[in-house]
Amino acid sequence: MKSLIVIFFLLTLVLAEGNKLYAQTPQGNVMIITNLERAFPENGSMAEFDSLTHQYQTKVWDKNPYVISHRTVRHWWGHDNRDIIEITEVKTWEDIPKAMAKSNELFMEAWSTKEARDKFNKAYDKFFTGKHSDEIYQEVTFKK
């Protein structure tokens, strides 16, 4: 009986250690990458684009509790100066729809009338061709 208890105890230890192999590894944050193609409207300037982008950043992205960080970057050097890339970082896959819903809510609050929203969208959208791509990436993490 004593040897049966010792074997049971050792088997329990081995199985407990083996469970660590099946444990989920720590996951990195999720990045939503949107690559937009920039238009060059005659009635628009980069100062206007920067101002509109800054307004959206401070009124929407910066106030969104699900967004860890957000960056809008524009092409600086290379063969194609039409790229505008937005990088939105959230904690988990589940936070993506929450972040997008909250962004819509914050947009509606910041531009509270349909006229104000239409005016902002018309001013901002003229800087884009409508061509874009969306990708979702996960940060690579390493065990310590």
Side-chain angles (χ1 to χ4, degrees), residues 33 117 123:
I33 311 292
R117 289 189 293 275

Side-chain angles (χ1 to χ4, degrees), residues 34-90:
T34 303
N35 189 336
L36 302 148
E37 185 176 75
R38 186 175 113 188
F40 297 90
E42 289 184 24
N43 63 339
S45 67
M46 286 319 295
E48 179 187 11
F49 174 77
D50 290 347
S51 174
L52 294 166
T53 302
H54 179 72
Q55 286 178 50
Y56 198 89
Q57 179 74 37
T58 58
K59 294 178 179 183
V60 177
W61 295 120
D62 289 349
K63 293 182 178 182
N64 192 325
Y66 298 104
V67 173
I68 294 169
S69 70
H70 176 85
R71 298 278 189 270
T72 300
V73 295
R74 66 175 172 230
H75 181 270
W76 191 35
W77 184 260
H79 74 283
D80 189 350
N81 65 350
R82 295 174 293 172
D83 291 336
I84 301 283
I85 300 173
E86 290 194 341
I87 306 163
T88 307
E89 179 182 10
V90 297

Side-chain angles (χ1 to χ4, degrees), residues 2-61:
K2 187 176 180 182
S3 63
L4 187 58
I5 293 173
V6 170
I7 290 172
F8 177 76
F9 179 74
L10 290 174
L11 185 59
T12 303
L13 282 176
V14 168
L15 290 175
E17 277 299 309
N19 279 341
K20 289 182 182 176
L21 297 174
Y22 298 109
Q24 195 172 17
T25 57
Q27 299 295 312
N29 292 337
V30 176
M31 309 295 170
I32 305 157
I33 311 292
T34 303
N35 189 336
L36 302 148
E37 185 176 75
R38 186 175 113 188
F40 297 90
E42 289 184 24
N43 63 339
S45 67
M46 286 319 295
E48 179 187 11
F49 174 77
D50 290 347
S51 174
L52 294 166
T53 302
H54 179 72
Q55 286 178 50
Y56 198 89
Q57 179 74 37
T58 58
K59 294 178 179 183
V60 177
W61 295 120

